[in-house]
């Protein structure tokens, strides 16, 4: 029961930190949303800072787990399909998860006290993504798909693509966003594929 309460507190905190930001979310608000008294939070967390750090660390684990799970489902012989799968996963999580809202908030407005932690988690996640991209690139080279692109260019181009999508989602309705990501993918795929016109 104690562990259930701890996870519930983190779930609610994730939601509120994503909606209101770290500074504007109080432990009282979290406790009220959970249905407990504020002092009960201290049975699980030393402070609001401690709670936030755990939420950010869990957020990173959730992202890494999702991408590694996608990698396990990839068919190595289909590199273009695999890169699309990675792109779709990014867009899907951006549109459907509470984690995405918090990622956006801490990316655009990181709390000063946690900038180093957030950067560390971001770099860790990017390293996992980059490792998957390297595998896709190397298989693509075997299939003569990316012959005009260097490995580091391939990785950078994908990361820039999803960074752009990340920003687009911040400003547009879901309908417009879906149209824009399809357009972005169409041009991106043509740009990375050596089988142009097929």
């Amino acid at each position: 029961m104690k562990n259930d309460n701890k996870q519930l507190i983190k779930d609610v905190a994730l939601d509120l930190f994503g909606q209101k930001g770290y500074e504007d979310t109080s432990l009282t608000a979290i406790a009220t949303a959970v249905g407990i008294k504020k002092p009960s939070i201290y049975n699980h967390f030393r402070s609001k800072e401690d709670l936030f750090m755990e939420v950010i660390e869990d957020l990173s684990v959730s992202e890494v787990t999702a991408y590694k799970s996608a990698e396990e489902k990839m068919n190595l012989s289909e590199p273009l399909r695999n890169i699309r799968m990675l792109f779709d996963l990014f867009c899907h999580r951006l549109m459907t998860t509470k984690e995405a809202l918090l990622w956006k908030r801490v990316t655009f407005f990181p709390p000063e006290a946690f900038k180093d932690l957030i950067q560390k988690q971001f770099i860790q996640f990017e390293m996992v993504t980059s490792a998957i991209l390297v595998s896709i690139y190397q298989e693509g080279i075997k299939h003569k798909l990316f012959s005009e692109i260097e490995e580091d260019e391939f990785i950078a181009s994908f990361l820039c693509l999803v960074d752009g999508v990340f920003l687009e989602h911040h400003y547009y309705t879901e309908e417009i966003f879906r149209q824009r990501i399809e357009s972005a993918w169409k041009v991106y795929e043509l740009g990375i594929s050596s089988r142009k016109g097929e």
Side-chain angles (χ1 to χ4, degrees):
M1 184 69 174
K2 188 174 181 180
N3 285 337
D4 289 346
N5 276 347
K6 181 175 182 178
Q7 188 58 52
L8 183 56
I9 291 166
K10 288 199 288 185
D11 290 344
V12 168
L14 167 70
D15 196 13
L16 292 178
F17 286 142
Q19 289 178 38
K20 300 180 178 182
Y22 173 76
E23 293 85 354
D24 292 331
T25 299
S26 68
L27 288 181
T28 300
I30 293 169
T32 299
V34 172
I36 59 175
K37 300 291 186 184
K38 178 181 170 182
S40 298
I41 291 179
Y42 295 111
N43 292 330
H44 308 282
F45 304 97
R46 293 187 303 274
S47 62
K48 178 178 160 182
E49 291 84 357
D50 184 40
L51 171 57
F52 184 75
M53 287 173 67
E54 281 207 33
V55 167
I56 292 295
E57 287 165 3
D58 286 355
L59 174 61
S60 179
V61 169
S62 174
E63 293 296 304
V64 167
T65 300
Y67 279 75
K68 286 190 172 179
S69 176
E71 183 181 25
E72 290 171 5
K73 297 171 187 170
M74 291 178 180
N75 183 337
L76 285 177
S77 66
E78 299 181 279
L80 277 177
R81 183 175 174 274
N82 292 340
I83 193 74
R84 178 64 200 242
M85 186 187 297
L86 212 58
F87 180 71
D88 286 345
L89 174 63
F90 180 88
C91 295
H92 175 73
R93 289 186 66 78
L94 189 59
M95 291 187 288
T96 63
T97 66
K98 290 180 180 179
E99 287 93 340
L101 183 59
L102 182 55
W103 260 134
K104 280 201 286 189
R105 185 170 286 278
V106 299
T107 298
F108 293 132
F109 310 107
E112 190 63 37
F114 300 101
K115 277 186 176 179
D116 289 345
L117 172 67
I118 291 164
Q119 184 177 28
K120 178 184 171 187
Q121 298 297 336
F122 180 81
I123 289 171
Q124 185 179 29
F125 171 60
E126 190 170 280
M127 286 173 63
V128 170
T129 310
S130 295
I132 298 171
L133 289 167
V134 167
S135 297
I136 293 171
Y137 175 81
Q138 290 174 347
E139 195 61 32
I141 288 295
K142 292 178 188 175
H143 290 80
K144 303 190 186 318
L145 283 175
F146 312 132
S147 59
E148 298 172 20
I149 305 170
E150 297 296 325
E151 182 178 283
D152 59 341
E153 293 174 332
F154 181 78
I155 294 168
S157 68
F158 183 82
L159 295 177
C160 285
L161 173 67
V162 293
D163 284 348
V165 166
F166 189 72
L167 187 61
E168 291 282 300
H169 186 255
H170 189 68
Y171 290 108
Y172 295 102
T173 64
E174 185 172 330
E175 182 182 356
I176 294 173
F177 176 67
R178 288 182 183 277
Q179 292 169 355
R180 292 174 85 92
I181 61 176
E182 285 305 320
S183 297
W185 174 259
K186 179 179 179 180
V187 174
Y188 178 75
E189 184 179 30
L190 285 170
I192 62 170
S193 177
S194 299
R195 296 177 178 175
K196 297 175 178 66
E198 285 189 10

